[in-house]
């Protein structure tokens, strides 16, 4: 993934020329978030405590490909501004357990990674959802937030909205 660009393009430059280097506004989707505690020793300062692996709009993640994603430190030395456009299931946290409209219990691990407690075939829960567990008993506020967020809509609508923004599909093996 080519992130940085130069004006004029590198092929038009010769020694002594002046150019601008930067990242034009770019829509990406986050493939993975890496947290480092303590911060990672890279030989550069500041030491990164987090990396985001991202793919450009239009590219679907393929777990078989090495180094497909571009990794960057969102708090690093580059003047990068990140703005969240959409996070599927923003009202849930990995590991949450919910009950769906049909009374089935599900564990949420990621937007397209649902596990039914009854061992039936994978899929996605039918909205609305009721939060059952979030690292223990959820607070009334957390339970109410999930109920409000899923009072209308569906998993298919979350997927459609994400797909429209990323112009990609969830990784193979997911949804």
């Amino acid at each position: 993934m080519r992130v940085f660009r130069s004006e004029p393009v590198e092929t038009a430059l010769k020694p002594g020329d002046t150019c601008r280097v930067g990242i034009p506004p770019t829509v990406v989707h986050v493939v993975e978030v890496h947290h480092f505690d303590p911060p990672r020793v890279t030989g550069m300062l500041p030491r990164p405590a987090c990396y985001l692996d991202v793919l450009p709009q239009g590219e679907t993640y393929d777990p078989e490909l090495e180094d497909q994603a571009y990794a960057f430190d969102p708090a690093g030395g580059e003047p990068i501004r990140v703005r969240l456009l959409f996070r599927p299931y923003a009202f849930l946290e990995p590991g949450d357990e919910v009950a769906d409209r049909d009374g089935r219990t599900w564990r949420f691990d990621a937007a397209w990674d649902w596990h039914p407690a009854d061992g039936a075939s994978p899929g996605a829960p039918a909205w609305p959802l009721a939060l059952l567990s979030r690292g223990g008993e959820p607070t009334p506020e957390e339970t109410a937030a999930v109920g409000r967020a899923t009072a209308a809509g569906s998993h298919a609508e979350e997927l459609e909205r994400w797909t429209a923004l990323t112009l990609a599909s969830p990784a193979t093996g997911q949804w």
Side-chain angles (χ1 to χ4, degrees), residues 1-3 26-34 51-57 59 61 67-74 82:
M1 175 177 166
R2 186 171 172 232
V3 177
T26 306
V27 175
V28 299
H29 56 105
V30 176
V31 176
E32 195 166 357
V33 179
H34 305 274
Y51 276 157
L52 298 180
D53 286 348
V54 299
L55 287 177
Q57 188 178 46
E59 189 170 338
Y61 177 69
D67 300 325
Q68 180 185 16
Y70 178 81
F72 76 93
D73 176 5
V82 178

Side-chain angles (χ1 to χ4, degrees), residues 21 47 69 112 144 174:
V21 176
R47 291 184 172 146
W112 320 125
Q174 296 178 325

Side-chain angles (χ1 to χ4, degrees), residues 71-153:
F72 76 93
D73 176 5
E78 297 90 359
I80 296 173
R81 185 178 72 210
V82 178
R83 183 172 58 100
L84 179 64
L85 297 177
F86 176 66
R87 177 184 167 232
Y89 287 95
F91 45 86
L92 293 177
E93 298 297 329
D96 280 357
E97 291 182 0
V98 298
D100 73 4
R101 173 185 67 217
D102 301 328
R104 289 182 71 193
T105 301
W106 297 80
R107 187 183 75 241
F108 172 81
D109 287 323
W112 320 125
D113 192 10
W114 288 94
H115 302 276
D118 59 14
S121 61
W127 289 23
L129 305 177
L131 183 61
L132 302 175
S133 172
R134 177 171 284 166
E137 183 147 347
T139 67
E141 295 80 15
E142 292 168 333
T143 302
V146 171
R148 278 191 309 274
T150 62

